[in-house]
Amino acid sequence: QVQAVESGGGLVQAGGSLRLSCAASGNIKRIDAMAWYRQAPGKQRELVAAIASVGSTNYADSVKGRFTISRDNAKNTVYLQMNSLKPEDTAVYYCTALVWTPGNAAQNYWGQGTQVTVSS
């Protein structure tokens, strides 16, 4: 079984920074893409940033230039550095990882979510 566990959320003032982490653990053979999504109250879940196993990245237009996604393949961990935070960044942030386990096809695993609240 595979688990993805996020950490690093919290309350911050507008203009501040937070760094989210998400570590995958279990019987992992390989992890392909990893990503961060967010869901604000009353809104659909949206992609924030994604990173391929080779390091290529893509971002939502709303976070370009402010957020940076990175990963440490040796630790099966993905990070999201969030700078210049705005109140509209307030949401529950979820990580996801496309994981290969021995003898199985790749499967997407989701973390439990971490709350990020930006006060004005």
Side-chain angles (χ1 to χ4, degrees):
Q1 191 59 277
V2 174
Q3 287 188 322
V5 179
E6 300 111 337
S7 61
L11 174 65
V12 65
Q13 288 189 332
S17 298
L18 282 174
R19 189 190 194 211
L20 306 183
S21 300
C22 173
S25 62
N27 193 13
I28 296 171
K29 182 179 179 182
R30 189 179 83 239
I31 300 178
D32 287 343
M34 304 182 84
W36 288 95
Y37 285 75
R38 67 185 180 187
Q39 188 166 20
K43 294 188 177 181
Q44 288 189 331
R45 190 172 296 189
E46 63 174 354
L47 176 67
V48 176
I51 184 167
S53 58
V54 296
S56 55
T57 59
N58 67 282
Y59 296 91
D61 287 343
S62 59
V63 306
K64 282 181 181 177
R66 300 188 298 123
F67 291 10
T68 301
I69 189 170
S70 61
R71 62 190 287 171
D72 184 333
N73 290 332
K75 296 181 179 179
N76 293 330
T77 298
V78 63
Y79 305 97
L80 186 68
Q81 178 66 44
M82 305 185 293
N83 299 328
S84 302
L85 282 160
K86 304 175 181 180
E88 51 263 43
D89 294 318
T90 295
V92 178
Y93 284 69
Y94 299 90
C95 72
T96 182
L98 185 61
V99 180
W100 293 85
T101 55
N104 298 303
Q107 182 175 347
N108 220 30
Y109 290 88
W110 289 83
Q112 80 285 355
T114 186
Q115 177 70 46
V116 171
T117 303
V118 185
S119 63
S120 57

